[in-house]
Amino acid sequence: MKPAVIVITGAAETEQLGVIPDLTELDLRAEAAHPALAGAGLTMADVDGITCAAESPIEMAHYLGVTPTWYDGTSVGGCSFLIHVRHAAAAISAGLCQTVLVLHGESGRSRVGKAGSFMARSPSSSQMPFQNLYGLSGPPNMFTLPVMRFLAETGTTEEQLASVVAAQSAWSADNPRAFRKGEVTVEDVLSSPVIAYPFHKLECCVVTDGGGALVVTSRKRAEAAGTPKPPIYLLGAGEACDAPLVHDLEDGTSSKAFKISSRLAFEQADLGPGDIDHLIIYDAFAHLPLYALQDLGFVGRGEAGAFVAEGNTRPGGPLPLNTNGGGVRYTHTGMYGMFAMQESIRQLRGEAFNQVDGLEVGLVQGVGGMFTAASTLIFSNRLP
Amino acid sequence: MPEPARAKPVPAPTPTTQPYWDGTAVGELRIQRCVTTGKVFSYPRRFFRPERPETAERTVA
C-alpha cells in the first residue's frame, strides 16, 4: 500500500508565551488547539485523533469534548511532538484516523498544577540507580560530559560554542515574543555566569510557560474539505534513540539518534542536506546545533563551530538556522519540540516574525531526554 | 494502639478550579455553561467550545 501524502493544515502557539501564571498544562493545550483548528477550517467535531506528552491524551480528549479513535501519549522528552507527527502520519496512512490534533502545553516556569518532573524515573529503571542518584539527572550535567569530549576531539572552541547563541539572538532580537530580548555578542555570552562548565547561563535554554497545536491530516482529505491556507507537506520523518545513561552513549562527540532519525527522514523524502532551505535544530543548550550540523551532514566533522562563527546561519546567511531565536532565546517550556515545528511551518507559510524569502523545504531536528531520543521531520510548501 | 489517623487527601486548587472549590466551601455547586451552546459542563475548564464553528471567542462563561 502506498502511504498517504500527509499535510499540516493548522498550526498555532498560545497567545501568551513566557510567564502564564493562571493556566494549567491542559488549559494551555486547549488554548492552542482552537486557533489551530480554526486556521485549518475545522472544528473540534472533525478531530478523531489526539496526541500529547506528559499528561494523558485521554484527559486532554475529554477536556476538549472529543472521543478519539486513535491517540498517542509517547513521552520521551522534548522531541515527543515530532514523534507524534510521525506516528499520526502512519496512523492516518493506515486508516486508523483522519484528523489528528498534536498538542503541547507546559507550565515549565510557573508550574501551575504540576505534580513533579516528567523526568522522574522509577527505582527499576537503569537511570535511577546507575546514574541519577549520584546527581547526574538534569540538562546542565547530563550534557556536560559529552560536550567536553566534543570540544576536545573536534577542536571546537568556547567562542565558537558561544557564537551559536549570538547568531540566534540576531534572529530574535526584535521579536516581542522572545523571552530573552535583544542581541548578544560572543563576549556577552562568555561573560555570563558559568552554570556547569563549559556552559554559561546564556548557553542554557530559557524556562517558560506556553503551548502549541498542529492539525495533521491527509492531503486527500485536506483537498476534499478545502483549507484556508495552502497545506504544508510532510516529506519525510524519522525517530531514533540512544542509551538512557550518559556513560553508555556510543560516542559523546556525535549523536547516534540524530544520525539515524535524519537518515530515515532524508530517505523517505528522497532529499539530502543540500536540498534544505531552512533549518531548525532543537537547542536545549547551545551545543546541539553544532552536533546536528555535523551529524546530519550539513558540514564535515569538526567544522560546525567555524561554520556558525563565520555567520553562515545568521540573518542573510546561506543556511538560516533557528530563526525564532531557539530555545536559548525565544522560548523553552521544558519540552521545546512543538515550538521548533511551529517556526518551521511559519517560515514555509511566509508568516514568520523574521521571514526568510523563497523557502521551500525546511528540516526540524528534535532531541529528547538529553541525548536519549531524537526525531527529524522534513516539511515543504510545495507538492512532493 | 490504633494507628494515628492519616491526613485526609484534599484537592490542590489550580487557577482554573479555584472558583469551583471556593463554591464548595460555602455550600454551592458552581458549574460552567458554554457560551455558544448553553450546555452546562463539569469539571471546570478553560477554552472549552464543543462542536461549533464560531472561532473568534476563546472563552466560556
Side-chain angles (χ1 to χ4, degrees):
Chain A
M1 191 175 75
K2 195 168 180 282
V5 175
I6 300 300
V7 293
I8 310 288
T9 58
E13 292 179 359
T14 47
E15 205 166 86
Q16 303 174 75
L17 197 61
V19 183
I20 312 173
D22 63 332
L23 296 182
T24 67
E25 301 194 339
L26 294 175
D27 298 332
L28 290 165
R29 287 168 208 176
E31 200 220 311
H34 289 291
L37 276 174
L42 300 174
T43 73
M44 207 55 80
D46 297 304
V47 174
D48 61 358
I50 290 267
T51 78
C52 52
E55 293 283 352
S56 157
I58 293 169
E59 280 268 350
M60 199 60 235
H62 188 261
Y63 181 123
L64 296 170
V66 174
T67 307
T69 57
W70 177 86
Y71 50 84
D72 183 8
T74 299
S75 191
V76 293
C79 63
S80 299
F81 316 97
L82 283 75
I83 292 172
H84 294 163
V85 170
R86 185 174 194 248
H87 292 182
I92 292 165
S93 221
L96 306 183
C97 54
Q98 294 188 308
T99 305
V100 176
L101 262 180
V102 175
L103 299 175
H104 173 57
E106 191 170 21
S107 186
R109 187 169 194 90
S110 301
R111 307 192 66 77
V112 177
K114 278 176 83 77
S117 168
F118 68 89
M119 287 183 58
R121 292 288 179 263
S122 67
S124 57
S125 67
S126 64
Q127 281 199 344
M128 188 51 78
F130 294 107
Q131 173 177 282
N132 299 16
L133 274 181
Y134 315 102
L136 201 68
S137 61
N141 56 15
M142 282 180 76
F143 273 146
T144 22
L145 288 173
V147 83
M148 287 301 290
R149 178 161 295 198
F150 177 93
L151 295 177
E153 290 198 8
T154 63
T156 305
T157 66
E158 286 187 51
E159 287 74 16
Q160 288 171 340
L161 181 62
S163 75
V164 172
V165 179
Q168 292 182 199
S169 76
W171 285 106
S172 61
D174 304 325
N175 189 338
R177 285 173 70 78
F179 193 74
R180 284 178 173 147
K181 316 286 186 201
E183 188 168 348
V184 291
T185 64
V186 167
E187 292 69 36
D188 293 332
V189 175
L190 293 178
S191 58
S192 67
V194 172
I195 299 298
Y197 187 79
F199 293 119
H200 301 80
K201 185 175 178 181
L202 293 180
E203 289 163 327
C204 305
C205 67
V206 298
V207 181
T208 59
D209 306 323
L214 295 178
V215 179
V216 186
T217 188
S218 65
R219 172 187 168 191
K220 194 175 163 188
R221 186 169 172 80
E223 287 179 352
T227 51
K229 294 177 184 177
I232 298 298
Y233 300 89
L234 178 67
L235 302 187
E239 71 193 71
C241 55
D242 204 332
L245 303 170
V246 172
H247 67 254
D248 272 343
L249 293 172
E250 281 191 7
D251 178 1
T253 71
S254 162
S255 163
K256 178 174 85 172
F258 282 2
K259 287 180 171 172
I260 296 172
S261 72
S262 62
R263 177 173 53 75
L264 292 171
F266 279 133
E267 281 176 3
Q268 187 184 6
D270 196 21
L271 297 174
D275 300 307
I276 304 301
D277 304 323
H278 176 261
L279 185 55
I280 296 281
I281 299 170
Y282 188 130
D283 58 319
F285 282 18
H287 63 302
L288 290 171
L290 301 182
Y291 276 72
L293 283 167
Q294 295 178 181
D295 289 339
L296 272 60
F298 288 96
V299 298
R301 182 172 167 85
E303 295 173 0
F307 184 78
V308 173
E310 288 163 7
N312 290 294
T313 62
R314 294 176 69 94
L319 185 60
L321 167 67
N322 292 348
T323 49
N324 58 353
V328 297
R329 304 300 297 176
Y330 180 69
T331 207
H332 196 303
T333 58
M335 294 185 283
Y336 169 71
M338 173 58 74
F339 305 99
M341 294 190 290
Q342 294 282 344
E343 173 65 7
S344 182
I345 289 163
R346 279 193 299 264
Q347 288 284 354
L348 293 172
R349 281 177 158 182
E351 299 174 345
F353 181 81
N354 249 325
Q355 182 63 44
V356 183
D357 294 331
L359 299 178
E360 287 192 347
V361 182
L363 183 147
V364 185
Q365 179 61 52
V367 71
M370 272 46 80
F371 277 121
T372 63
S375 180
T376 313
L377 301 180
I378 299 175
F379 293 122
S380 178
N381 53 19
R382 61 174 161 80
L383 284 170
Chain B
M1 281 282 284
E3 289 191 14
R6 277 186 293 179
K8 211 171 185 175
V10 293
T14 68
T16 302
T17 60
Q18 188 70 52
Y20 178 89
W21 297 119
D22 288 346
T24 63
V26 296
E28 290 179 6
L29 177 63
R30 295 177 182 169
I31 59 174
Q32 292 167 291
R33 186 185 297 277
C34 175
V35 292
T36 40
T37 65
K39 287 182 189 166
V40 295
F41 61 91
S42 179
Y43 44 93
R45 273 164 273 184
R46 312 276 273 272
F47 313 108
F48 181 69
R49 192 179 50 232
E51 298 175 10
R52 289 297 291 263
E54 291 83 2
T55 51
E57 300 90 335
R58 289 167 169 251
T59 52
V60 294

